Amino acid sequence: MTSTMPANAKPTVELVVDGTARPLPVVAASEGASGFKVNTLLRDTGLVTLDTGFTNTASCESAITYIDGDQGILRYRGYPIDQVAEGASFLEVAALLIDGELPGAEALEAFEQTVGKNASLPDGFGAFLAALPADGHPMATLAAAINALAAWYPEVVDPRDGAQVDSATAMLLAKTATITAALHRRRTGQALVAPDASNGYVADFLRQTFGDAGGEYAAEPVIVDALEKLLILHADHEQNCSTSTVRVVGSSNATLFASVAAGVNALSGPAHGGANEAVLVMLEKIRSGSDTVETFMDKVKNKADGVRLMGFGHRVYKSYDPRAAIVKKSADEVLEKLGAKDELLEIAQGLEQIALNDDYFVERKLYPNVDFYTGLIYKAMGFDPAMFTPLFALGRMPGWIAQWREMVNDPATKIGRPRQVYTGETERDFVPVSGR
Ligand code: ACO
């Protein structure tokens, strides 16, 4: 493969197949890696590209989120993540991701009101939730609940109708908070608390989750701020596993609800969003004495039974995850302000110290990711570990929606349908069971 132009200005690259040069058009990035298009390669050469795990394949052009994994940079619509996390509210970030620009004061208020008006669950939804086991994993219930919204609101499911998509967007942002709070209350055997958006999105989510039977809850500003920040840090992360899932499902013209529910399921795995719960399980195991920090790290390095240091490593970040740096600071502040000194935080810090100075992790460029410290904050807030990944889903909702909408409005979108390199049997004759 040769490039016909100097670096940073490549209108085409050439792929030489059997001595014939095939020009492939380059799509220039505004920042980061440009890509070359291979759509016609099979037709022209009989070859497909093979990229297991999509480690080098761009699935779309996107103007939403930029990551530079080597330098630890994350920006939403051009705004650095630390500035956004410091200065914006979660719904402001949702508007930014979905619309492309920061909303003015009036537009933000209107957006907050639209979302707020959609917070209640429809008639019969409580009974639907109650039909699922209260102690089942809340990610399973969350995916089912989001999927089921399409059954309750068939009037807003057309992906090509902008007004319907706007309604579905407001519903998903609002009702995911209400449903997530309900998951906690069901796990803890408490009656649900109705939403009251006048408290603000995050404060009301906490009130629905932790309020008393009458819905009374004294919001602790440090907790509201920390949760607002955590939701913002999770709001989008370009073409990760769950977001790609949302796009692929949506590319079949499936509803926004169906697409996002698929994203929830993709997020549930421990290699993705489920890592925040897995980190806590790992720390608890070390605390309970089955391993010391040192013996556990030996197992990780020896790859004993596939043991991994959960909350470490990332497909894109090859230096410190910028979200993890903000989360770590927030963990220190929250735990200190709540007086919730946690032995698990010390274990986590011990693991991190070893990892940052150990050749195994240094050579593989493995650093803490966003999930390494989040669980400790959620735990201090009163969530049990099974609720950590639903909280991630709540935060990721604006990103999934923004990416889905970008996909639907992109004229280049085609149904997501990868090729394969077939390595099975070639044709052979069927043998009846009596002859096998
Ligand atoms: N602990 C120990 N070793 C690791 C870890 C880890 N957490 N992560 C990667 N490695 C090692 C691999 O064993 C491999 O070693 P090798 O070269 O000797 O074979 C090397 O580092 C590269 O790892 P890959 O699995 O090829 O990296 P990939 O980009 O495919 O995986 C992933 C990224 C899934 C995040 C991985 O680092 C991991 O499993 N981490 C733990 C789970 C986790 O925290 N997930 C959350 C990710 S962030 C998010 O989704 C919000």
Coordinates of all heavy atoms in Angstrom, one line a residue, residues 65-132:
T65 N -17.5 13.3 19.0 CA -16.5 13.1 20.1 C -15.2 12.9 19.5 O -15.0 12.0 18.6 CB -16.9 12.0 21.1 OG1 -18.1 12.5 21.8 CG2 -15.8 11.7 22.0
Y66 N -14.1 13.5 20.0 CA -12.8 13.3 19.5 C -11.9 12.7 20.7 O -12.0 13.2 21.8 CB -12.2 14.6 19.0 CG -10.7 14.4 18.7 CD1 -10.3 13.7 17.5 CD2 -9.7 15.0 19.4 CE1 -9.0 13.5 17.2 CE2 -8.4 14.9 19.1 CZ -8.0 14.1 18.0 OH -6.7 13.9 17.7
I67 N -11.2 11.7 20.4 CA -10.3 11.1 21.4 C -8.9 11.0 20.7 O -8.8 10.5 19.6 CB -10.7 9.6 21.8 CG1 -12.1 9.7 22.4 CG2 -9.7 9.1 22.8 CD1 -12.7 8.3 22.7
D68 N -7.9 11.4 21.5 CA -6.5 11.1 21.1 C -6.0 10.2 22.2 O -5.7 10.7 23.3 CB -5.7 12.4 21.0 CG -4.2 12.1 20.6 OD1 -3.7 11.0 21.0 OD2 -3.6 12.9 19.9
G69 N -5.9 8.9 21.9 CA -5.6 7.9 22.9 C -4.2 8.0 23.4 O -3.9 7.6 24.6
D70 N -3.3 8.5 22.6 CA -1.9 8.6 23.0 C -1.6 9.7 24.0 O -0.8 9.7 24.9 CB -0.9 8.7 21.8 CG -0.9 7.4 21.0 OD1 -1.0 6.4 21.6 OD2 -0.9 7.5 19.8
Q71 N -2.4 10.8 23.7 CA -2.2 12.0 24.6 C -3.2 12.1 25.7 O -3.2 13.1 26.5 CB -2.2 13.3 23.7 CG -1.1 13.3 22.7 CD -1.0 14.7 22.1 OE1 -0.8 15.7 22.8 NE2 -1.1 14.7 20.8
G72 N -4.2 11.2 25.7 CA -5.2 11.2 26.8 C -6.1 12.4 26.6 O -6.4 13.1 27.6
I73 N -6.5 12.7 25.4 CA -7.4 13.8 25.1 C -8.8 13.3 24.8 O -9.0 12.3 24.0 CB -6.9 14.6 23.9 CG1 -5.6 15.4 24.3 CG2 -8.0 15.6 23.4 CD1 -5.0 16.0 23.1
L74 N -9.8 13.9 25.4 CA -11.2 13.6 25.1 C -12.0 14.9 25.0 O -11.9 15.8 25.9 CB -11.8 12.7 26.2 CG -13.4 12.5 26.2 CD1 -13.9 11.8 25.0 CD2 -13.8 11.7 27.5
R75 N -12.7 15.1 23.9 CA -13.4 16.3 23.7 C -14.8 16.0 23.2 O -15.0 15.2 22.3 CB -12.8 17.3 22.6 CG -11.4 17.7 23.0 CD -10.9 18.8 22.1 NE -9.5 18.9 22.1 CZ -8.6 18.7 21.1 NH1 -9.1 18.4 19.9 NH2 -7.4 18.7 21.3
Y76 N -15.8 16.7 23.7 CA -17.2 16.6 23.2 C -17.5 17.8 22.3 O -17.4 18.9 22.7 CB -18.2 16.7 24.3 CG -18.2 15.5 25.3 CD1 -18.8 15.7 26.6 CD2 -17.7 14.3 25.0 CE1 -18.9 14.6 27.5 CE2 -17.7 13.2 25.9 CZ -18.3 13.4 27.2 OH -18.4 12.4 28.1
R77 N -17.7 17.6 21.0 CA -18.0 18.6 20.1 C -16.9 19.7 20.2 O -17.2 20.9 20.1 CB -19.4 19.3 20.4 CG -20.5 18.3 20.2 CD -20.9 18.1 18.8 NE -22.2 17.3 18.7 CZ -22.6 16.9 17.5 NH1 -22.0 17.1 16.4 NH2 -23.7 16.2 17.4
G78 N -15.7 19.3 20.4 CA -14.5 20.2 20.4 C -14.2 20.7 21.8 O -13.1 21.2 22.1
Y79 N -15.1 20.6 22.8 CA -14.8 21.1 24.2 C -14.1 20.0 25.0 O -14.6 18.9 25.1 CB -16.1 21.5 24.8 CG -16.9 22.6 24.1 CD1 -18.0 22.3 23.4 CD2 -16.4 23.9 24.2 CE1 -18.7 23.3 22.7 CE2 -17.1 24.9 23.5 CZ -18.2 24.6 22.8 OH -18.9 25.7 22.1
P80 N -13.0 20.4 25.6 CA -12.2 19.4 26.4 C -13.0 18.9 27.6 O -13.8 19.7 28.2 CB -11.0 20.3 27.0 CG -10.9 21.4 26.0 CD -12.3 21.7 25.5
I81 N -12.9 17.6 27.9 CA -13.7 17.0 28.9 C -13.6 17.6 30.3 O -14.6 17.7 31.0 CB -13.5 15.4 29.0 CG1 -14.5 14.7 29.8 CG2 -12.0 15.1 29.4 CD1 -15.9 14.8 29.4
D82 N -12.4 18.1 30.6 CA -12.3 18.6 32.0 C -13.1 19.9 32.1 O -13.7 20.2 33.1 CB -10.8 18.8 32.3 CG -10.0 19.6 31.3 OD1 -10.4 19.5 30.1 OD2 -9.1 20.4 31.6
Q83 N -13.1 20.8 31.0 CA -13.8 22.0 31.0 C -15.4 21.7 31.1 O -16.1 22.4 31.8 CB -13.6 22.8 29.8 CG -12.1 23.4 29.8 CD -11.9 24.2 28.5 OE1 -12.8 24.7 27.9 NE2 -10.6 24.3 28.1
V84 N -15.8 20.7 30.3 CA -17.2 20.4 30.3 C -17.6 19.9 31.6 O -18.7 20.2 32.2 CB -17.5 19.4 29.2 CG1 -18.9 18.9 29.2 CG2 -17.1 20.0 27.8
A85 N -16.8 18.9 32.2 CA -17.2 18.3 33.5 C -17.2 19.4 34.6 O -18.0 19.3 35.5 CB -16.2 17.2 33.8
E86 N -16.4 20.4 34.5 CA -16.3 21.4 35.5 C -17.4 22.4 35.4 O -18.0 22.8 36.4 CB -14.9 22.1 35.4 CG -14.4 22.8 36.7 CD -14.5 21.9 37.9 OE1 -13.9 20.8 37.9 OE2 -15.1 22.3 38.9
G87 N -17.8 22.7 34.2 CA -18.7 23.9 34.0 C -20.1 23.6 33.6 O -21.0 24.5 33.7
A88 N -20.4 22.4 33.1 CA -21.7 22.2 32.5 C -22.6 21.3 33.4 O -22.1 20.6 34.3 CB -21.6 21.6 31.1
S89 N -23.9 21.3 33.2 CA -24.8 20.3 33.8 C -24.9 19.1 32.8 O -24.6 19.2 31.6 CB -26.1 20.9 34.1 OG -26.8 21.1 32.8
F90 N -25.4 18.0 33.3 CA -25.5 16.8 32.5 C -26.5 17.0 31.3 O -26.2 16.7 30.2 CB -26.0 15.6 33.4 CG -26.3 14.4 32.6 CD1 -25.3 13.7 31.9 CD2 -27.6 13.8 32.6 CE1 -25.5 12.6 31.2 CE2 -27.8 12.6 31.9 CZ -26.8 12.0 31.2
L91 N -27.6 17.7 31.6 CA -28.5 18.0 30.5 C -28.0 18.9 29.5 O -28.3 18.9 28.3 CB -29.9 18.4 31.0 CG -30.8 17.3 31.6 CD1 -32.2 17.9 31.9 CD2 -30.9 16.1 30.7
E92 N -27.1 19.9 29.9 CA -26.4 20.8 29.0 C -25.5 20.0 28.1 O -25.5 20.3 26.9 CB -25.6 21.7 29.9 CG -25.3 23.1 29.3 CD -24.6 24.0 30.4 OE1 -24.6 23.7 31.6 OE2 -24.0 24.9 29.9
V93 N -24.8 19.0 28.7 CA -23.9 18.2 27.9 C -24.8 17.3 26.9 O -24.4 17.1 25.7 CB -23.1 17.3 28.8 CG1 -22.3 16.2 28.0 CG2 -22.1 18.2 29.6
A94 N -25.9 16.9 27.4 CA -26.8 16.1 26.5 C -27.2 16.9 25.3 O -27.1 16.5 24.1 CB -28.0 15.6 27.2
A95 N -27.6 18.2 25.5 CA -28.0 19.1 24.4 C -26.8 19.3 23.5 O -26.9 19.3 22.3 CB -28.5 20.4 25.0
L96 N -25.6 19.5 24.1 CA -24.4 19.7 23.3 C -24.1 18.6 22.3 O -23.9 18.7 21.1 CB -23.2 20.0 24.2 CG -21.8 20.0 23.5 CD1 -21.7 21.2 22.6 CD2 -20.7 19.9 24.6
L97 N -24.2 17.4 22.9 CA -23.9 16.2 22.1 C -24.9 16.0 21.0 O -24.6 15.7 19.9 CB -23.8 14.9 23.0 CG -22.6 14.9 24.0 CD1 -22.8 13.7 25.0 CD2 -21.3 14.6 23.2
I98 N -26.2 16.2 21.4 CA -27.3 15.9 20.4 C -27.4 17.0 19.3 O -27.5 16.7 18.2 CB -28.6 15.7 21.2 CG1 -28.5 14.4 22.0 CG2 -29.8 15.7 20.3 CD1 -29.6 14.2 23.1
D99 N -27.3 18.2 19.8 CA -27.5 19.3 18.8 C -26.2 19.8 18.2 O -26.2 20.5 17.1 CB -28.2 20.5 19.5 CG -29.6 20.2 19.9 OD1 -30.2 19.2 19.4 OD2 -30.1 20.8 20.9
G100 N -25.1 19.6 18.8 CA -23.8 20.1 18.2 C -23.3 21.3 18.8 O -22.1 21.7 18.6
E101 N -24.1 22.1 19.5 CA -23.6 23.4 20.0 C -24.1 23.5 21.5 O -25.2 22.9 21.8 CB -24.2 24.6 19.2 CG -23.7 24.7 17.8 CD -22.2 24.9 17.7 OE1 -21.6 25.4 18.7 OE2 -21.6 24.6 16.6
L102 N -23.4 24.3 22.3 CA -23.9 24.5 23.6 C -25.2 25.3 23.6 O -25.2 26.3 22.8 CB -22.8 25.3 24.4 CG -21.6 24.5 24.9 CD1 -20.5 25.5 25.4 CD2 -22.0 23.6 26.0
P103 N -26.2 25.0 24.3 CA -27.4 25.7 24.3 C -27.3 27.1 25.0 O -26.6 27.1 26.0 CB -28.4 24.8 25.0 CG -27.6 24.0 25.9 CD -26.2 23.8 25.3
G104 N -28.0 28.1 24.5 CA -28.1 29.3 25.3 C -29.0 29.1 26.5 O -29.7 28.1 26.6
A105 N -29.1 30.1 27.4 CA -29.8 29.9 28.6 C -31.3 29.5 28.4 O -31.8 28.6 29.0 CB -29.8 31.2 29.5
E106 N -31.9 30.2 27.4 CA -33.4 30.0 27.1 C -33.5 28.6 26.5 O -34.4 27.8 26.9 CB -33.9 31.0 26.1 CG -34.9 31.9 26.6 CD -35.3 32.9 25.6 OE1 -35.8 32.6 24.5 OE2 -35.1 34.1 25.9
A107 N -32.7 28.2 25.6 CA -32.8 26.9 25.0 C -32.6 25.8 26.0 O -33.2 24.8 26.0 CB -31.8 26.8 23.8
L108 N -31.6 26.1 26.9 CA -31.3 25.0 27.9 C -32.5 24.8 28.8 O -32.9 23.7 29.1 CB -30.1 25.4 28.7 CG -29.7 24.5 29.9 CD1 -29.4 23.1 29.3 CD2 -28.5 25.0 30.6
E109 N -33.1 26.0 29.2 CA -34.3 25.9 30.1 C -35.4 25.1 29.4 O -36.1 24.2 30.0 CB -34.8 27.2 30.5 CG -35.5 27.2 31.8 CD -36.1 28.5 32.2 OE1 -35.5 29.6 31.9 OE2 -37.3 28.5 32.7
A110 N -35.6 25.4 28.1 CA -36.7 24.8 27.4 C -36.4 23.2 27.3 O -37.3 22.4 27.4 CB -36.8 25.4 26.0
F111 N -35.1 22.9 27.0 CA -34.7 21.5 26.9 C -35.0 20.8 28.3 O -35.5 19.7 28.3 CB -33.3 21.4 26.5 CG -32.8 20.0 26.3 CD1 -33.3 19.2 25.3 CD2 -31.7 19.5 27.0 CE1 -32.8 17.9 25.1 CE2 -31.2 18.3 26.8 CZ -31.8 17.5 25.8
E112 N -34.6 21.5 29.4 CA -34.8 20.9 30.7 C -36.2 20.6 31.0 O -36.6 19.6 31.5 CB -34.2 21.8 31.8 CG -32.7 21.8 31.8 CD -32.1 22.9 32.7 OE1 -32.8 23.8 33.1 OE2 -30.8 22.9 32.9
Q113 N -37.1 21.6 30.5 CA -38.5 21.4 30.8 C -39.1 20.3 30.0 O -39.9 19.5 30.4 CB -39.2 22.7 30.5 CG -39.1 23.7 31.6 CD -39.8 25.0 31.4 OE1 -40.5 25.1 30.4 NE2 -39.6 25.9 32.3
T114 N -38.6 20.2 28.7 CA -39.2 19.1 27.8 C -38.8 17.8 28.4 O -39.6 16.8 28.5 CB -38.6 19.2 26.4 OG1 -38.8 20.5 26.0 CG2 -39.1 18.2 25.5
V115 N -37.5 17.7 28.9 CA -37.1 16.4 29.5 C -37.9 16.1 30.7 O -38.4 15.0 31.0 CB -35.6 16.4 29.7 CG1 -35.1 15.2 30.5 CG2 -34.8 16.4 28.4
G116 N -38.0 17.2 31.6 CA -38.7 17.0 32.9 C -40.1 16.5 32.7 O -40.6 15.7 33.5
K117 N -40.8 17.0 31.7 CA -42.2 16.7 31.5 C -42.4 15.2 31.1 O -43.4 14.6 31.2 CB -42.8 17.5 30.3 CG -43.3 18.8 30.7 CD -44.0 19.4 29.5 CE -43.7 20.9 29.4 NZ -43.5 21.5 28.1
N118 N -41.3 14.6 30.7 CA -41.3 13.2 30.3 C -40.9 12.2 31.3 O -40.7 11.0 31.0 CB -40.4 13.0 29.0 CG -41.2 13.5 27.8 OD1 -42.0 12.8 27.3 ND2 -40.8 14.7 27.3
A119 N -40.7 12.7 32.6 CA -40.0 11.8 33.5 C -40.9 10.7 34.1 O -40.4 9.6 34.5 CB -39.5 12.6 34.7
S120 N -42.2 10.9 34.1 CA -43.1 9.8 34.6 C -43.2 8.6 33.8 O -43.0 8.7 32.6 CB -44.6 10.4 34.7 OG -44.6 11.5 35.6
L121 N -43.4 7.5 34.4 CA -43.6 6.2 33.7 C -45.0 6.1 33.3 O -45.9 6.5 34.1 CB -43.1 5.1 34.6 CG -41.6 5.1 34.9 CD1 -41.2 4.0 35.8 CD2 -40.7 5.1 33.6
P122 N -45.3 5.4 32.2 CA -46.7 5.3 31.8 C -47.5 4.3 32.6 O -46.9 3.5 33.3 CB -46.6 4.8 30.3 CG -45.3 4.1 30.3 CD -44.4 4.8 31.2
D123 N -48.8 4.4 32.5 CA -49.7 3.5 33.3 C -49.3 2.0 32.9 O -49.1 1.7 31.8 CB -51.2 3.7 32.9 CG -51.7 5.0 33.5 OD1 -51.0 5.5 34.4 OD2 -52.8 5.4 33.1
G124 N -49.2 1.2 33.9 CA -48.9 -0.2 33.7 C -47.5 -0.5 33.7 O -47.1 -1.7 33.8
F125 N -46.6 0.5 33.6 CA -45.2 0.3 33.6 C -44.6 -0.3 34.9 O -43.8 -1.2 34.9 CB -44.4 1.5 33.2 CG -43.1 1.2 32.5 CD1 -43.1 1.0 31.1 CD2 -41.9 1.2 33.2 CE1 -41.9 0.8 30.4 CE2 -40.7 0.9 32.5 CZ -40.7 0.7 31.2
G126 N -45.2 0.2 36.0 CA -44.8 -0.3 37.3 C -45.1 -1.8 37.4 O -44.3 -2.5 38.0
A127 N -46.3 -2.2 36.9 CA -46.6 -3.6 37.0 C -45.7 -4.4 36.1 O -45.3 -5.6 36.4 CB -48.1 -3.8 36.5
F128 N -45.3 -3.8 35.0 CA -44.3 -4.5 34.1 C -43.0 -4.7 34.8 O -42.5 -5.8 34.8 CB -44.1 -3.7 32.8 CG -42.9 -4.1 32.0 CD1 -42.9 -5.2 31.2 CD2 -41.8 -3.3 32.0 CE1 -41.8 -5.6 30.5 CE2 -40.7 -3.6 31.2 CZ -40.7 -4.8 30.5
L129 N -42.5 -3.7 35.5 CA -41.3 -3.8 36.2 C -41.4 -4.9 37.3 O -40.5 -5.7 37.6 CB -40.8 -2.5 36.8 CG -40.3 -1.4 35.9 CD1 -40.0 -0.1 36.6 CD2 -39.0 -1.9 35.1
A130 N -42.6 -4.8 38.0 CA -42.8 -5.7 39.1 C -42.9 -7.2 38.7 O -42.7 -8.1 39.5 CB -44.1 -5.3 39.9
A131 N -43.2 -7.4 37.4 CA -43.2 -8.8 36.9 C -41.9 -9.4 36.7 O -41.7 -10.6 36.6 CB -44.0 -8.8 35.6
L132 N -40.8 -8.6 36.8 CA -39.4 -9.1 36.6 C -38.9 -9.3 38.0 O -39.2 -8.6 38.9 CB -38.6 -8.1 35.8 CG -39.1 -7.8 34.4 CD1 -38.3 -6.7 33.7 CD2 -39.0 -9.1 33.6

